[in-house]
Amino acid sequence: TTSATIDHHARVNTDTTGEGAQQAQVVAAGADFSHLGIAGAASISGAASVSPGAMVLVLDMATTASIAANARVDATEDVDVVAAANQDVLGIAGNAALSGAVGVAGSAAVVDIGSAPHASLDGDVSADGNVLVRAADHTDADLIAGALGLGRGAAGLGASVTVALIDKDTQAFIGAGAEVDALGNSARSLTVSNGADGGSETIKGLAVQAESSEDLFAVAAAGGIGFFGSLAGAVTVEIV
């Protein structure tokens, strides 16, 4: 869990007398996860050879940025509440089984990612500039699995699978009972989505935005070679 909070009943810069024109308040929580997983196995025998292997990643992330209820935050320029999470995963599994009779190989690359970035404003905020409440989550996962079973005298069996399970809860919100004044007198403009596919626009004032993206690439390959029989299967599964 990664969190940044201005807690209940806190008072931040409630007296702006004499403060600089560029005074800003930022509550930001960020989590950046990178993973490289490689699993490989090979077996060779004169009679029977079996070679299993798997790369498995289970990730659970919670990223929270908040101004709590009954807190008071003032700024002569901008107030930002931002929660951002990123996952970059490369998983590779490769196995081979070579035998004079029967060769069996299996490989799996499995990723299970749960991520919940939340940005919330439940207190009272007054800014001469902009107020931004933003939650963002971006996932890039590449999975590769390969297996080869070679049985020269009898049979070869090969199977491979990649599985990507992505479960996200991305929220940006202003809570019930909050009071927000964003006068927009800031040199900075906010870039926000305009509802079109990939489109954006710039505004001043208040922006509440949640965004999530997933870029998945999966390859599964399998081979079976045998004198009397062979069997090979490969499958990729993505659930988002």
Side-chain angles (χ1 to χ4, degrees), residues 1-232:
T1 301
T2 304
S3 63
T5 302
I6 294 178
D7 214 342
H8 300 278
H9 303 289
R11 296 290 184 266
V12 180
N13 292 327
T14 54
D15 182 4
T16 58
T17 303
E19 296 179 353
Q22 295 182 335
Q23 180 204 61
Q25 314 298 337
V26 177
V27 183
D32 194 350
F33 178 84
S34 296
H35 175 78
L36 170 61
I38 301 175
S43 59
I44 302 174
S45 74
S49 180
V50 178
S51 180
M55 190 293 301
V56 179
L57 169 67
V58 178
L59 176 64
D60 187 10
M61 302 176 70
T63 311
T64 303
S66 64
I67 296 177
N70 299 313
R72 175 73 190 188
V73 178
D74 292 345
T76 56
E77 193 168 48
D78 301 330
V79 176
D80 293 351
V81 182
V82 179
N86 295 281
Q87 308 91 36
D88 188 357
V89 176
L90 173 60
I92 301 173
N95 301 279
L98 311 177
S99 172
V102 178
V104 180
S107 67
V110 180
V111 170
D112 184 353
I113 296 176
S115 183
H118 291 176
S120 61
L121 197 167
D122 292 293
D124 299 336
V125 171
S126 178
D128 287 344
N130 304 316
V131 174
L132 171 66
V133 183
R134 179 176 181 265
D137 197 316
H138 303 292
T139 301
D140 186 352
D142 301 310
L143 302 177
I144 301 171
L148 174 63
L150 172 61
R152 295 181 60 189
L157 305 176
S160 66
V161 60
T162 68
V163 179
L165 306 175
I166 312 295
D167 184 12
K168 294 185 177 183
D169 180 24
T170 307
Q171 297 186 30
F173 61 90
I174 295 175
E179 293 187 7
V180 179
D181 290 323
L183 302 185
N185 298 319
S186 175
R188 182 185 70 158
S189 295
L190 302 176
T191 301
V192 299
S193 172
N194 63 3
D197 185 15
S200 64
E201 61 181 288
T202 58
I203 67 168
K204 292 186 178 182
L206 171 65
V208 181
Q209 184 161 306
E211 61 184 69
S212 178
S213 69
E214 296 76 36
D215 187 356
L216 305 179
F217 174 80
V219 175
I225 302 173
F227 185 77
F228 289 105
S230 63
L231 179 64

